[in-house]
Amino acid sequence: MIKAVRGTRDLLPPETTLWNFVESAVRDVFRAYNFQEIRTPIFESTELFARGVGEETDIVAKEMYTWEDRGGTLSNKFGEFLDWAEKNRGSTGPINTPKIVDEYFTAEGWKGQSLTLRPEATAGIVRAYIEHKLGDRGLNKLYCIGPMFRRERPQKGRYRQFYQIDAEIIGPPSAGSESPARDAEVLEMLATLLDRLGISGWNLELNSVGCPKDRAAFNEALRKALDPVRDKMCVDCQRRAVTNPLRVFDCKVPEDQPIIDKLPRISQFLDEGCRKHFEAVQEILTKVGVRFSLNDRLVRGLDYYTRTAFEFTHGALGAQNAILGGGRYDGLSEALGGPAAPGIGFAIGEDRLVMSLQESTSAEGVVKKPDVYVAPLGAGMDGEAARLARELRRHDLVVDLGDENFRLKKSFEAATRAGTKYILIVGENEVKADAFALKNLATGEQVSVPRAELPRRIQE
Ligand code: AMP
C-alpha cells in the first residue's frame, strides 16, 4: 500500500469543515481591516530564502526542500544548438567555439537553477512586492493562505507540509509603514480573529528585537558572554555562538536553557528610536484592551525581524505551543535588492489553530448536515429525483441524492448515515400526483407534500 509521505497528511472530512470554518472567519476578519489576498508560487529560487530568511537559521540551514531544476531548459538549449548547427552546416567560416559554448551550454538556462519549496511566505510576498512595484500603490495589506514545507522531525503539531495563514502590511516609509500603529493594528486584528474563532486562553508574548545597529552591539555582547560557556552547549549552539549568536535563543535543548537564561537580553540594547517605537505599540494595545506579556527572550527563528516580534501561544497545544508568530522586517526588501519597504506580518500555523479549535468545537458541530435525502424509488425515477433535487438546491437546501436501484430500506440507511432530517420519496405515484412523501427521520412522522410547498416544509 502506498501511504502519504512521512510528515504529510490527508485532511479528511469532517475535519476539513473546521478548516473551511477557520478560513472563512479569517477572510471575514481580514476584510474588515482592508487586507487583500495575494497568491505567490509554492516554489521560488533558493537564493530568495537564503537571503531573505538567513543562511544561519534552522530553516535555511537544515529544513528546506531544495533541488536543482533543469526542466525544459536543457532540451530547449540543446534544440537551439542543433538548429544552429543545421543552419551552419557546410559553412567554411571559422568556428568560434568559446562563443558557442557560452551561448548554448553555459548560459543561465542551461546551468539550471536551484529551487526550493517555500518554507514560509513572507520572503515570497516581499519578492512579489518588489517585482510588481507594489510600493507605487502606497501601503499594502496582503494576506495569503497555503502550504509551507520544512524538513523538521514530525510530531504532534509539527509536519513537513503544514499550512500557514500569512498577513503582511508593507509599503514605502512615506505611507506610514514604519508606524507603531501598524504593529498594534496587526496584533489587535489577531486578538479579534482568535476571539471570533472562540479560541480562549491564548497568550500574546511581545518583544522588540531592535534594529541592525542594536543587533550588532547585542551580538557582540552575546559573543562575549558565550565565549566561556559555549563548550558546554549543544553542537548547534556552539556553531551559532560564532556565526550568529542571536540564534542561540532558538535552542530547545533543555540542558542549554540555564545558560541561555543568563545571557544578556536585547531589551538592554535598544536605542532610543526602537524603545520609543516599542512603547508606542504597547500603549495602543493597552488602550484597545489587548492583553500581552513581555518576553525578552523571544527572538523568533528568522533573521529578517526588526523591532516588534511576537508569538501567540496556547496552553492546549503542548510542546508545540505557538499558534502563530510574526514581527517587523524593516530591512527585508532592501536585503532582497528592493526599495525601502518597512513591513510587519505574521504567520498563523493553521494546523495548530485547528487543533486548538478542536478543544472547544467539534467538526461535527460545524458541519452542515443535509436537509433532505431524496430517494428515488423504482426504475426510471433517477431523473425525476434529480429534477426535484435541483429545484430544492436552488432554494439553498443541502440535498443528498440516492439511487433508483436502492430498496427503500437501503435509502433509509443511507439517509440516516448522512444525518439528514428528512427523507423524500420519489416514486411513480408521487410523480403522478406531483406530491411527495416527506418523512421526518427523527420523529417518524410522514406527510404527503405538494411539490411547490416542499422547500418551505423542509426549511421549517
Ligand atoms: P514561523 O514561520 O516559524 O514563524 O512559524 C509560524 C507558525 O507556523 C508557528 O507558530 C506554527 O504555528 C506554525 N508552524 C511552523 N512550523 C510548523 C510545522 N513544521 N508544522 C506545523 N506548524 C508549523
Side-chain angles (χ1 to χ4, degrees):
M1 188 185 20
I2 300 172
K3 290 190 172 168
V5 173
R6 187 168 135 84
T8 72
R9 64 200 179 124
D10 303 302
L11 302 173
L12 306 172
E15 201 193 322
T16 40
T17 313
L18 278 182
W19 286 71
N20 288 332
F21 170 70
V22 163
E23 287 170 21
S24 82
V26 161
R27 289 177 197 279
D28 282 355
V29 171
F30 288 5
R31 186 69 218 114
Y33 291 76
N34 198 26
F35 277 74
Q36 288 182 298
E37 186 168 6
I38 179 169
R39 299 190 189 195
T40 62
I42 278 172
F43 57 87
E44 300 265 3
S45 73
T46 304
E47 193 194 353
L48 173 68
F49 303 112
R51 273 167 59 185
V53 178
E55 299 269 13
E56 257 313 308
T57 58
D58 277 356
I59 294 179
V60 173
K62 302 190 219 162
E63 297 169 358
M64 295 206 304
Y65 285 96
T66 295
W67 71 100
E68 273 305 307
D69 188 71
R70 295 202 157 176
T73 40
L74 173 73
S75 49
N76 286 349
K77 277 286 157 198
F78 195 57
E80 280 173 35
F81 168 70
L82 290 180
D83 286 347
W84 175 88
E86 182 63 32
K87 254 194 241 133
N88 291 280
R89 202 148 53 138
S91 134
T92 48
I95 293 179
N96 183 347
T97 313
K99 185 166 180 288
I100 295 166
V101 168
D102 191 45
E103 195 156 316
Y104 295 103
F105 298 102
T106 54
E108 261 321 289
W110 167 269
K111 275 190 278 182
Q113 193 184 5
S114 177
L115 300 179
T116 292
L117 289 181
R118 65 181 182 194
E120 59 96 54
T122 308
I125 293 177
V126 175
R127 187 224 11 95
Y129 173 92
I130 299 167
E131 188 172 334
H132 304 291
K133 301 191 171 49
L134 298 183
D136 293 351
R137 306 175 182 190
L139 200 63
N140 286 256
K141 289 171 149 181
L142 304 168
Y143 77 91
C144 112
I145 303 176
M148 306 294 153
F149 305 85
R150 294 183 196 171
R151 202 171 186 292
E152 295 189 86
R153 198 170 50 78
Q155 63 183 85
K156 184 169 181 269
R158 193 156 78 189
Y159 309 97
R160 291 179 169 178
Q161 173 172 338
F162 59 100
Y163 293 81
Q164 283 188 342
I165 298 161
D166 190 278
E168 318 286 347
I169 301 187
I170 179 171
S174 59
S177 53
E178 262 169 316
S179 165
R182 300 288 70 79
D183 306 43
E185 185 180 24
V186 157
L187 290 165
E188 190 271 320
M189 176 169 87
L190 282 165
T192 298
L193 174 66
L194 295 180
D195 289 346
R196 162 90 175 260
L197 289 170
I199 294 176
S200 52
W202 50 261
N203 183 30
L204 163 56
E205 296 187 17
L206 201 57
N207 193 21
S208 172
V209 295
C211 47
K213 223 166 9 88
D214 314 333
R215 201 80 71 76
F218 179 49
N219 267 333
E220 215 23 66
L222 275 182
R223 238 183 226 118
K224 266 205 198 106
L226 283 165
D227 218 26
V229 289
R230 67 165 194 253
D231 291 351
K232 300 190 194 80
M233 302 182 83
C234 70
V235 278
D236 281 339
C237 281
Q238 293 185 18
R239 195 192 64 242
R240 291 163 175 150
V242 180
T243 54
N244 191 351
L246 186 72
R247 299 269 67 91
V248 165
F249 287 99
D250 298 337
C251 176
K252 299 266 164 18
V253 176
E255 293 77 33
D256 287 2
Q257 301 312 308
I259 301 176
I260 296 170
D261 280 340
K262 292 206 195 77
L263 293 174
R265 297 302 163 89
I266 183 77
S267 52
Q268 304 151 358
F269 292 82
L270 296 183
D271 68 12
E272 176 79 3
C274 291
R275 224 178 24 249
K276 284 236 165 77
H277 191 275
F278 193 37
E279 276 163 15
V281 175
Q282 295 175 56
E283 221 165 88
I284 304 173
L285 287 179
T286 308
K287 192 121 200 174
V288 294
V290 172
R291 59 181 198 284
F292 58 88
S293 48
L294 296 179
N295 174 3
D296 63 1
R297 253 200 74 161
L298 182 81
V299 296
R300 315 264 312 118
L302 300 90
D303 271 354
Y304 55 59
Y305 285 116
T306 52
R307 295 192 163 173
T308 311
F310 58 87
E311 258 174 27
F312 281 70
T313 54
H314 192 264
L317 290 174
Q320 304 297 320
N321 68 351
I323 318 180
L324 70 94
R328 193 162 258 295
Y329 45 83
D330 291 347
L332 179 56
S333 169
E334 284 141 302
L336 296 175
I344 177 155
F346 60 80
I348 306 175
E350 195 175 357
D351 306 72
R352 294 191 199 165
L353 189 65
V354 170
M355 269 165 67
S356 356
L357 200 61
Q358 279 164 334
E359 285 288 293
S360 53
T361 320
S362 74
E364 268 83 7
V366 178
V367 130
K368 171 117 173 69
K369 296 270 165 61
D371 296 299
V372 61
Y373 183 96
V374 177
L377 189 64
M381 287 300 119
D382 270 349
E384 293 293 345
R387 186 155 76 94
L388 196 54
R390 182 169 155 93
E391 285 166 24
L392 296 174
R393 285 170 179 149
R394 285 184 179 165
H395 282 85
D396 279 344
L397 290 166
V398 180
V399 180
D400 217 353
L401 184 56
D403 183 323
E404 65 182 24
N405 293 314
F406 288 2
R407 288 177 187 282
L408 202 52
K409 181 162 174 280
K410 190 163 173 182
S411 291
F412 270 88
E413 281 165 8
T416 307
R417 198 173 309 125
T420 68
K421 188 168 175 198
Y422 292 105
I423 186 164
L424 184 66
I425 316 278
V426 182
E428 218 165 306
N429 293 340
E430 280 83 1
V431 171
K432 265 196 207 120
D434 210 26
F436 300 83
L438 183 70
K439 182 166 182 155
N440 184 320
L441 283 172
T443 63
E445 185 200 1
Q446 182 169 326
V447 282
S448 174
V449 182
R451 179 185 288 266
E453 282 174 35
L454 276 169
R456 190 180 53 76
R457 280 302 289 268
I458 294 168
Q459 262 149 2
E460 267 170 14

